[in-house]
């Protein structure tokens, strides 16, 4: 089978598993193009529907409890969410309009307490379900898109279409992460990772994400980086990306055609072992009324309902980056004049460190992962995963690292495989039929064989709530990775765990 035929098989498997449709029957590049265009349309459709759902949920959290979620003709997981949520709204409505609420003050207090607990539980369940059901197919879409983008035989137009798929998927992932991050931050479950990164390159990557929108609106966008800014900083590059992404996204969103945006990064000062960096994003957009500036960092709040309808968004971006900046011991300020523009000023401290530490990072070329990693022998990985698309994706990623991979469909089969074979590491999905990842990991940790009992286990799951992470560690899982995952991050985790002594008491 040729590479092109393999690509078609993979793309059609995504169509079949996710959308129950197949557009073409041939094996040409045109067929790949048609299939990917179809996928892109489906992804865009899901994104648009997710935006509507999130807007409705925002209104619900703001107090409009009778806001029903729309049901489409797609009959997919989003519609399942909507139907379940609408049923809950019906029940809540019945409770809220019940005459029993008016009987006594004491009964009101009791019912309000119960209602608040139910809402909190419903929110957690919804976040968990949404995370799993959307992240699982999104992991396949983004993962295979990355693999396809590394194919040198594709023409420029096909690569452009793949870029559109990836951008749409990344945007959908940001929306999901916004809601989940807010829940994690409020519960104190967010963790910052300090590692070397290049701020200049990171800024360029974020800018490239918005380049098509910038060009489409003919925005005059300029970036200036002070030469005094160290080329390598120590910090959480993912959270820095999140801050830059949200600020630039807002600037592009609210700046009119042929407007102007300036991104400036300056070295502010050196103090107590920290380099202080100032990031300024200034636009010539619609501006913020003076009486609204103090509320823009509140969750689910936008300047007006008209703003939400016209420009989109969840109203969570600024809330999240404000909280992240506070956790990083930084500051954010906003200055704005209505119809003239807005300026955000962020000050962040970065711990000073030896820039040579950047050389310790993995020497992985993202366009070519096939690297010998174990001079003694090939690393053997057990993958417990019930989703066929994710099985194919993870197996291909591992094969690029020259890892051997054995696949099982559930936790029960994972336990049996560990008992009868030797593995260096287990990649364990959490939500699986017959036996889930928690139970399987717990059983493995109780085996009599000391070597098998102490095998490193990595949870690789689409559920990313704080309670799930705590549950993973409680059953002896060594590391947690969320889907969609970065191939380089997966490689680094495997190498770290396989190379270290991960004994479990």
């Amino acid at each position: 089978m040729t590479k092109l035929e393999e690509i078609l098989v993979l793309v059609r498997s995504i169509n079949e598993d996710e959308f129950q449709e197949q557009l073409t029957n041939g094996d040409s590049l045109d067929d790949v193009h048609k299939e990917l265009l179809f996928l892109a349309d489906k992804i865009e459709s899901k994104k648009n529907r997710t935006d509507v759902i999130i807007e409705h949920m925002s209104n619900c959290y703001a107090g409009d409890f009778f806001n029903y979620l729309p049901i489409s003709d797609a009959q997919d997981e989003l519609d399942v969410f909507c139907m379940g949520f609408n049923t809950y709204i019906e029940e809540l409505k019945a409770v809220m309009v019940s005459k029993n609420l008016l009987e006594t003050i004491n009964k009101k207090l009791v019912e309000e307490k119960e209602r608040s607990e139910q809402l909190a539980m419903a929110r957690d369940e919804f976040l968990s379900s949404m995370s799993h059901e959307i992240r699982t197919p999104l992991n396949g879409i983004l993962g295979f898109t990355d693999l396809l983008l590394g194919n040198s035989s594709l023409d420029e137009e096909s690569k452009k279409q793949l870029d559109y798929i990836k951008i749409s998927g990344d945007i959908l992932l940001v929306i999901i992460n916004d809601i989940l991050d807010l829940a994690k931050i409020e519960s104190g479950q967010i963790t910052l990772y300090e590692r070397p990164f290049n701020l200049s390159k990171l800024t360029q990557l974020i800018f490239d994400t918005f380049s098509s929108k910038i060009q489409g609106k003919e925005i005059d966008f300029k970036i200036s980086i002070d030469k005094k800014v160290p080329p390598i900083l120590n910090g959480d590059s993912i959270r820095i990306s999140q801050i830059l992404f949200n600020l630039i996204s807002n600037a592009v969103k609210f700046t009119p055609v042929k407007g102007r945006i300036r991104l400036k990064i300056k070295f502010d000062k050196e103090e107590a072992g920290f380099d202080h960096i100032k990031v300024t994003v200034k636009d010539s957009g619609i501006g913020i009324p003076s009486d609204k500036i103090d509320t823009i960092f509140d969750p689910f709040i936008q300047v007006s309902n008209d703003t939400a309808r016209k420009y989109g968004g969840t109203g969570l971006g600024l809330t999240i980056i404000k909280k992240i900046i506070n956790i990083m011991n930084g500051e954010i300020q906003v200055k704005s004049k209505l119809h003239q523009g807005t300026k955000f000023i962020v000050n962040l401290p970065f711990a000073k460190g030896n820039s040579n530490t950047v050389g310790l990072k993995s020497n992985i070329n993202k366009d070519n992962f096939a690297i010998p990693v174990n001079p003694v022998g090939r690393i053997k990985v057990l993958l417990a995963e019930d989703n066929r698309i994710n099985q194919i994706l993870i197996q291909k990623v591992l094969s690029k690292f020259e890892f051997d991979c054995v696949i099982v469909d559930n936790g029960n089969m994972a336990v049996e495989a560990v008992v009868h074979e030797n593995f260096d590491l287990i990649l364990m999905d959490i939500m699986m039929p017959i036996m889930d990842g928690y139970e399987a990991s717990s059983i493995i940790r109780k085996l009599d064989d000391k070597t098998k009992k102490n095998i490193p286990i990595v949870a690789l799951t689409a559920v990313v709530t704080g309670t799930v992470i705590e549950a993973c560690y409680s059953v002896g899982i060594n590391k947690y990775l969320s889907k969609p995952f970065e191939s380089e991050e997966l490689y680094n985790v495997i190498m770290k765990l396989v190379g270290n002594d991960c004994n479990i008491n």
Side-chain angles (χ1 to χ4, degrees):
M1 184 181 290
T2 66
K3 288 290 185 182
L4 185 59
E5 289 172 335
E6 289 182 1
I7 292 171
L8 273 168
V9 169
L10 293 177
V11 173
R12 287 168 179 163
S13 71
I14 297 174
N15 281 346
E16 180 180 356
D17 288 356
E18 299 302 327
F19 309 121
Q20 294 80 45
E21 293 188 46
Q22 179 176 318
L23 298 180
T24 62
N25 297 302
D27 57 0
S28 68
L29 191 57
D30 286 337
D31 293 319
V32 176
H33 184 241
K34 290 179 181 178
E35 294 283 350
L36 290 176
L37 282 177
F38 173 73
L39 277 176
D41 290 339
K42 286 292 184 180
I43 294 169
E44 183 65 22
S45 173
K46 277 198 171 185
K47 173 190 173 298
N48 292 335
R49 291 167 58 205
T50 303
D51 286 343
V52 173
I53 290 173
I54 291 174
E55 180 181 355
H56 279 59
M57 289 295 295
S58 300
N59 292 335
C60 176
Y61 293 151
D64 186 4
F65 299 111
F66 303 137
N67 204 357
Y68 292 90
L69 299 179
I71 308 296
S72 73
D73 296 327
Q75 297 183 353
D76 56 13
E77 68 273 12
L78 292 180
D79 292 315
V80 173
F81 295 154
C82 293
M83 288 185 286
F85 187 81
N86 289 346
T87 300
Y88 170 76
I89 292 298
E90 286 288 349
E91 296 174 356
L92 181 62
K93 182 178 180 180
V95 172
M96 293 186 69
V97 300
S98 173
K99 293 181 180 180
N100 293 332
L101 295 176
L102 303 176
E103 290 179 355
T104 62
I105 295 177
N106 183 57
K107 190 174 182 178
K108 287 181 181 180
L109 293 174
V110 171
E111 289 177 350
E112 283 297 315
K113 179 177 180 294
E114 292 176 351
R115 184 178 64 84
S116 298
E117 292 174 349
Q118 290 174 352
L119 283 173
M121 184 180 297
R123 185 192 70 170
D124 290 343
E125 290 176 354
F126 176 80
L127 291 177
S128 179
S129 296
M130 184 182 70
S131 170
H132 181 269
E133 297 302 327
I134 297 181
R135 281 174 177 268
T136 295
L138 191 59
N139 182 59
I141 291 169
L142 292 178
F144 282 117
T145 299
D146 282 336
L147 290 177
L148 289 171
L149 283 169
N151 188 343
S152 59
S153 64
L154 291 176
D155 57 58
E156 289 302 317
E157 183 61 27
S158 297
K159 286 186 176 181
K160 184 183 294 184
Q161 297 292 340
L162 287 171
D163 284 331
Y164 291 152
I165 293 175
K166 182 166 178 57
I167 290 172
S168 298
D170 286 340
I171 292 172
L172 177 58
L173 185 59
V174 167
I175 293 172
I176 298 169
N177 285 339
D178 278 350
I179 295 179
L180 297 174
D181 276 351
L182 183 62
K184 287 192 290 184
I185 291 171
E186 289 180 342
S187 61
Q189 294 169 339
I190 190 172
T191 302
L192 297 178
Y193 298 95
E194 187 171 295
R195 63 191 70 169
F197 72 97
N198 187 310
L199 181 58
S200 177
K201 290 183 179 179
L202 185 65
T203 303
Q204 187 61 48
L205 287 173
I206 299 298
F207 171 79
D208 291 343
T209 303
F210 295 96
S211 60
S212 59
K213 290 185 178 180
I214 292 170
Q215 293 172 5
K217 296 178 73 171
E218 300 182 52
I219 294 174
D220 177 17
F221 195 122
K222 286 186 171 58
I223 301 174
S224 62
I225 301 178
D226 187 355
K227 292 182 179 180
K228 295 181 181 179
V229 174
I232 301 298
L233 294 171
N234 291 303
D236 193 324
S237 61
I238 294 177
R239 297 302 175 184
I240 301 300
S241 299
Q242 202 169 4
I243 294 170
L244 290 173
F245 184 94
N246 275 286
L247 293 179
I248 295 175
S249 175
N250 278 346
V252 173
K253 183 190 302 182
F254 296 116
T255 298
V257 175
K258 295 185 177 180
R260 188 176 70 172
I261 298 175
R262 296 291 182 265
L263 170 59
K264 296 181 179 180
I265 300 176
K266 292 185 176 182
F267 180 85
D268 189 28
K269 60 183 177 180
E270 180 181 343
E271 183 180 70
F274 287 87
D275 289 327
H276 290 259
I277 305 299
K278 179 185 291 186
V279 178
T280 304
V281 179
K282 183 178 180 181
D283 64 61
S284 61
I286 61 175
I288 304 170
S290 57
D291 61 337
K292 299 291 184 180
I293 288 182
D294 291 337
T295 67
I296 64 171
F297 295 110
D298 295 337
F300 306 109
I301 299 297
Q302 295 194 348
V303 171
S304 67
N305 290 332
D306 181 66
T307 300
R309 287 191 297 268
K310 185 175 181 180
Y311 297 100
T314 62
L316 289 175
L318 290 176
T319 302
I320 290 168
I321 67 170
K322 167 75 170 177
K323 292 179 180 293
I324 290 174
I325 290 170
N326 287 342
I327 293 172
M328 298 176 72
N329 296 318
E331 296 178 346
I332 182 170
Q333 297 175 296
V334 57
K335 299 178 181 179
S336 184
K337 290 186 178 180
L338 196 61
H339 307 306
Q340 294 186 30
T342 302
K343 178 167 70 173
F344 286 93
I345 304 168
V346 177
N347 286 278
L348 292 172
F350 295 91
K352 295 179 67 65
N354 188 349
S355 61
N356 291 331
T357 56
V358 73
L360 298 176
K361 68 180 182 179
S362 172
N363 293 318
I364 295 180
N365 182 337
K366 290 192 174 183
D367 295 326
N368 181 11
F369 290 107
I371 311 169
V373 294
N374 189 355
V376 177
R378 290 171 68 96
I379 290 175
K380 187 176 181 180
V381 176
L382 174 63
L383 171 63
E385 167 67 62
D386 64 308
N387 183 280
R388 181 55 182 160
I389 293 176
N390 284 331
Q391 287 179 352
I392 297 172
L393 171 63
I394 297 169
Q395 185 177 42
K396 284 189 171 294
V397 170
L398 293 177
S399 68
K400 294 292 185 180
F401 301 147
E402 296 190 359
F403 295 168
D404 291 329
C405 179
V406 175
I407 299 175
V408 294
D409 293 329
N410 57 64
N412 186 56
M413 296 174 67
V415 173
E416 290 294 320
V418 170
V419 170
H420 294 99
E421 295 185 56
N422 294 321
F423 297 95
D424 297 299
L425 180 135
I426 302 172
L427 293 178
M428 185 76 75
D429 189 19
I430 296 301
M431 296 180 67
M432 294 183 290
I434 302 177
M435 181 186 291
D436 62 28
Y438 299 126
E439 185 177 356
S441 299
S442 181
I443 292 173
I444 291 171
R445 292 301 180 221
K446 296 175 183 177
L447 293 175
D448 294 331
D449 187 309
K450 185 175 181 180
T451 300
K452 295 179 181 293
K453 145 182 204 178
N454 289 328
I455 183 172
I457 303 176
V458 178
L460 191 59
T461 176
V463 183
V464 296
T465 57
T467 55
V468 170
I469 297 174
E470 291 176 1
C472 286
Y473 292 136
S474 70
V475 297
I477 291 175
N478 301 89
K479 185 68 177 177
Y480 175 96
L481 287 180
S482 64
K483 299 172 185 172
F485 62 90
E486 290 287 340
S487 297
E488 182 177 357
E489 184 180 15
L490 178 61
Y491 172 88
N492 288 334
V493 167
I494 292 175
M495 293 306 298
K496 182 176 181 180
L497 290 177
V498 171
N500 290 340
D501 183 10
C502 299
N503 290 331
I504 305 297
N505 295 325

